[in-house]
């Protein structure tokens, strides 16, 4: 897999998946004031020994959707079917797949 570049939600940081970090995870954080829960924050974090928040969304389901989108970007390649060389003088070329630079911008919502 070639590098996948992930831009943070606030657009202030660009991470290289596989070099700067090697895992993303969903994290639910709670705010507590005076002993009772105030709000839950649904975030996607980079996990490289410690957690660094790169995006926050309204629900766990939205976080999982964004992680699914990143997974699709990580698995994409440029594919050429090749040719059979049916035109006179042309040589057959085999099908090929190659890595392409991939960038994923964390959606705002």
């Amino acid at each position: 897999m070639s590098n996948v570049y992930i831009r943070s939600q606030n657009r202030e940081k660009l991470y290289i998946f596989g070099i700067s970090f090697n895992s993303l995870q969903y994290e639910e954080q709670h705010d507590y004031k005076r002993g009772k829960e105030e709000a839950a924050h649904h975030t996607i974090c980079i996990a490289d020994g410690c957690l660094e928040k790169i995006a926050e969304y309204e629900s766990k389901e939205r976080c999982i959707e964004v992680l699914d989108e990143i997974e699709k970007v990580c698995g994409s390649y440029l594919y050429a079917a090749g040719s059979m060389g049916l035109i006179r003088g042309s040589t057959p070329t085999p099908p090929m797949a190659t890595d392409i630079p991939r960038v994923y911008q964390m959606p705002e919502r």
Side-chain angles (χ1 to χ4, degrees):
M1 176 176 84
S2 69
N3 296 333
V4 175
Y5 298 88
I6 298 177
R7 188 85 179 255
S8 64
Q9 192 176 34
N10 64 5
R11 304 185 54 82
E12 293 177 357
K13 294 183 181 179
L14 181 66
Y15 300 95
I16 304 172
F17 188 72
I19 294 178
S20 332
F21 67 97
N22 46 10
S23 70
L24 291 168
Q25 72 180 46
Y26 164 75
E27 182 71 23
E28 186 173 327
Q29 301 168 348
H30 298 274
D31 289 339
Y32 293 98
K33 291 187 180 177
R34 296 190 185 132
K36 65 179 183 178
E37 186 177 331
E38 289 286 319
H41 299 278
H42 304 279
T43 61
I44 295 176
C45 298
I46 288 175
D48 58 352
C50 60
L51 296 180
E52 181 178 347
K53 180 177 87 169
I54 62 169
E56 184 172 339
Y57 297 102
E58 66 276 356
S59 67
K60 177 180 181 177
E61 291 75 24
R62 179 61 182 141
C63 288
I64 300 302
E65 286 174 6
V66 171
L67 288 173
D68 289 341
E69 291 172 13
I70 293 171
E71 180 182 4
K72 286 179 186 174
V73 170
C74 288
S76 64
Y77 292 90
L78 179 62
Y79 179 75
S83 72
M84 297 179 66
L86 298 176
I87 299 174
R88 186 178 301 190
S90 67
T91 58
T93 56
M96 63 171 249
T98 185
D99 288 338
I100 54 173
R102 298 177 289 254
V103 177
Y104 184 81
Q105 166 65 50
M106 299 299 283
E108 290 191 27
R109 296 178 188 251

